Amino acid sequence: MPKQKTFQKTVVIDVVGLSSFLVGEFTPFLKEYLQKKHTLTIKPMLPALTTSSQSTYLTGKWPNEHGVVGNGWYDHEDAEIKFWKQSNHLVEAEKIWERAKKIDPNFTCSKMFWWYNMYSSADYSVTPRPQYHADGVKAPDCYSNPPELRDELQTKLGSFPLFNFWGPNANIKSTKWIADASIYVDKKYDPTLTLIYLPHLDYCLQKYGPNLPKIKKELLEIDSVLKDLIEYYERKNTKIILLSEYGITPVSQPIHINRILRKEGLINVRKERWYELLDPGASAAFAVSDHQIAHVYCKDSKIKNRVTNLLQNIDGIALVLDKNSQKKYHINHKRSGDIVLVADPKFWFTYYYWLDDKLAPDYARLVDIHRKPGYDPCEMFMDPKKPGIRLRAGLKLLRKKLGFRYLMDVIPLDANLVKGSHGAIHEQREFYPIFSSQTQYPEKEISAIKVYDLIWDQMTSKI
C-alpha cells in the first residue's frame, strides 16, 4: 500500500483587491466557481496593505511580531525612508513553508511574485527586478531562484513586462505573464505549495474606485486569467485557495499630512537645483504615508505630544495611535511610527511635503517607487493637464529605443485623481478581502492571522 503524503499539493492565488462586491456580471467564471466553493470574509488587519497582509498570511503572526508594519518605514540607523524593499530577511518570523520543511524535507514551495521574494528560503521564486543602467536607463527584468529560471521564463514568455506591472501603462499583460510563468514552474518542478500574486485589479480600483461600469474591462480580463489558472490546477488535483489581501474602497479626499507638519515648522527640506528634498534625519517630525495609513516619526517626546495634539484635530483622521495604543492593533514595533494614523472612510494620505508644485522634486513626476518618501498612486496616471502627454511619452520611448537618455516625467501632482484606496480597517463588509477553498468552515468571517491556519489545514487535509 503506497505511503500517504504528509502534505497535499496546494496553490494559493492572491487576487489583489478582490472583494465580494466585485464578483458578479463581469466575472462570470469567478461567480460560478465561488458558488461551488466555501467563501469567508477576512476582517481587515492594520495595516491592510500588501506586504503586511502577505507577511501575516505566511507567518501566522501580527506585524508587531513579523515586523512588516507597512510597505515602507523609516530606517533610524540610515536616517532614510525605505519603500518596497525585497529581501525576505526583513520578515522576522518563520514562514509556512519553513515549518512544513521541518516535517517533510521533500516539501517544496514556489513563490511567484508574492512580496519579500529575494533571498527567500522558498525553493523556486520569481519577482520584479529592473536593471538600472549606469546612464540612468531602467530596463525590464526579473529576479529568480534558481537564477537560470529567469532566462528560461523570459525566453519562453518574453521579457517580464515591468512597465505593465506598475505605472500609467499597467495592464493585464503583467498578470497574464505571472500566471503563465506560474504554470511553467509548476510543470517543471511540481512544487507542493505554490503562491501566486495577480495584481491586475489593483490598478483600476485605485484609479476609479469600485465603480463596476468603469472597471468592466479589467474584471473580464482577470476573470479570463483566473479561468485558465484554476482549470489548470483542477486538472492536477490541486487544493485551490483563492484569497485577497484587502478590498479597495472609494476615496475622494487626500490628506497632505507632511504639508500640515511642514506648516508647523516640523519638517526640514534640502534644496537641490530648483527643487526641495525631504530631509527626514533633520526633521523634528515627518510622516511616511502609505495609502490610508501614515507612520509619523518624531525626534523626541515633547515633539510627539505636540504632533499628537495637532493631528487629533485634523479632519479625515480616524485614529491617532501612540506606541501604547498601537498594541491593540498589533502594530507596535521598532519600525512603526511614534504615532500611527488611520484615515477615515473617503480619505487617504499623500506623501507630498512641498508647498509649491514648482519646488516639487524631480522624482515626483516620475514612476519612482523607491525614492519617494511615501506611496504615490498618482503613478498610475499620465498628467491630464499636459496637452499631448501620450504623444510626448511615445517620443520619449522612441528616444529610449534609439539609445538616448530620457526622462519619463509624465506623472501628475493632482491627488484628487485617485478614487480608490485601502489600508484602514473600517470599510463596509462588502469590501472585505475574501478567502475561498473547498472546505466548509463554521465561521463566516476570520481574522487575517487565521489565514495561515487555513492554508496549513488545506495542505494537510486528506479530503
Side-chain angles (χ1 to χ4, degrees), residues 146-282:
E148 61 271 16
L149 178 59
R150 162 184 166 265
D151 292 333
E152 288 180 35
L153 289 172
Q154 295 193 121
T155 298
K156 183 174 179 60
L157 304 175
S159 295
F160 173 65
L162 179 74
F163 301 125
N164 304 118
F165 182 77
W166 185 249
N169 290 319
N171 60 37
I172 194 64
K173 289 181 181 177
S174 60
T175 290
K176 183 70 167 64
W177 196 99
I178 293 169
D180 291 343
S182 300
I183 290 174
Y184 178 93
V185 170
D186 188 77
K187 287 179 177 178
K188 180 169 183 175
Y189 297 109
D190 192 26
T192 320
L193 172 65
T194 296
L195 306 165
I196 304 174
Y197 173 82
L198 302 179
H200 187 52
L201 293 181
D202 215 16
Y203 318 138
C204 61
L205 285 169
Q206 290 188 62
K207 288 174 78 171
Y208 306 118
N211 183 326
L212 296 180
K214 276 201 169 184
I215 63 172
K216 170 184 175 181
K217 175 176 177 287
E218 288 82 2
L219 288 169
L220 289 167
E221 288 171 337
I222 194 68
D223 194 60
S224 176
V225 170
L226 283 171
K227 181 177 186 294
D228 292 343
L229 205 51
I230 288 171
E231 287 180 347
Y232 167 80
Y233 280 104
E234 284 179 333
R235 290 193 295 270
K236 296 201 70 175
N237 296 316
T238 305
K239 296 287 190 71
I240 299 172
I241 295 170
L242 194 69
L243 56 72
S244 52
E245 307 152 3
Y246 48 76
I248 293 182
T249 59
V251 293
S252 55
Q253 294 181 265
I255 302 174
H256 306 296
I257 191 69
N258 277 321
R259 288 177 175 170
I260 294 170
L261 296 174
R262 184 169 181 184
K263 288 174 182 177
E264 290 292 315
L266 298 168
I267 279 182
N268 279 23
V269 297
R270 200 171 72 247
K271 293 187 177 180
E272 293 188 2
R273 294 188 285 171
W274 69 90
Y275 54 76
E276 299 175 336
L277 290 177
L278 177 67
D279 194 350

Side-chain angles (χ1 to χ4, degrees), residues 193-402:
L193 172 65
T194 296
L195 306 165
I196 304 174
Y197 173 82
L198 302 179
H200 187 52
L201 293 181
D202 215 16
Y203 318 138
C204 61
L205 285 169
Q206 290 188 62
K207 288 174 78 171
Y208 306 118
N211 183 326
L212 296 180
K214 276 201 169 184
I215 63 172
K216 170 184 175 181
K217 175 176 177 287
E218 288 82 2
L219 288 169
L220 289 167
E221 288 171 337
I222 194 68
D223 194 60
S224 176
V225 170
L226 283 171
K227 181 177 186 294
D228 292 343
L229 205 51
I230 288 171
E231 287 180 347
Y232 167 80
Y233 280 104
E234 284 179 333
R235 290 193 295 270
K236 296 201 70 175
N237 296 316
T238 305
K239 296 287 190 71
I240 299 172
I241 295 170
L242 194 69
L243 56 72
S244 52
E245 307 152 3
Y246 48 76
I248 293 182
T249 59
V251 293
S252 55
Q253 294 181 265
I255 302 174
H256 306 296
I257 191 69
N258 277 321
R259 288 177 175 170
I260 294 170
L261 296 174
R262 184 169 181 184
K263 288 174 182 177
E264 290 292 315
L266 298 168
I267 279 182
N268 279 23
V269 297
R270 200 171 72 247
K271 293 187 177 180
E272 293 188 2
R273 294 188 285 171
W274 69 90
Y275 54 76
E276 299 175 336
L277 290 177
L278 177 67
D279 194 350
S283 297
F286 61 91
V288 177
S289 299
D290 202 347
H291 299 85
Q292 292 179 304
I293 304 293
H295 291 267
V296 180
Y297 298 87
C298 304
K299 266 199 169 177
D300 55 47
S301 58
K302 289 182 181 178
I303 292 295
K304 186 177 122 179
N305 292 336
R306 177 183 164 191
V307 171
T308 299
N309 292 333
L310 170 68
L311 297 177
Q312 284 174 338
N313 296 307
I314 301 298
D315 288 341
I317 298 179
L319 296 173
V320 180
L321 306 173
D322 62 16
K323 284 287 189 182
N324 189 54
S325 53
Q326 289 171 32
K327 294 176 183 177
K328 177 182 176 181
Y329 301 96
H330 316 288
I331 197 174
N332 54 302
H333 188 271
K334 64 182 180 182
R335 293 172 180 160
S336 65
D338 299 293
I339 304 165
V340 172
L341 306 179
V342 183
D344 269 319
K346 308 296 183 184
F347 291 83
W348 66 281
F349 299 110
T350 75
Y351 79 94
Y352 300 170
Y353 57 84
W354 56 91
L355 303 179
D356 183 342
D357 282 352
K358 293 178 182 177
L359 301 175
D362 58 353
Y363 58 65
R365 294 180 172 86
L366 307 176
V367 175
D368 202 337
I369 65 172
H370 299 299
R371 281 203 298 163
K372 291 181 180 179
Y375 175 74
D376 184 12
C378 286
E379 290 188 348
M380 290 178 293
F381 298 88
M382 286 193 182
D383 194 340
K385 294 179 182 178
K386 292 185 177 179
I389 187 69
R390 293 198 172 272
L391 176 60
R392 282 184 56 207
L395 291 173
K396 287 174 183 286
L397 284 175
L398 179 59
R399 286 179 59 83
K400 174 188 173 184
K401 290 178 181 178
L402 293 173

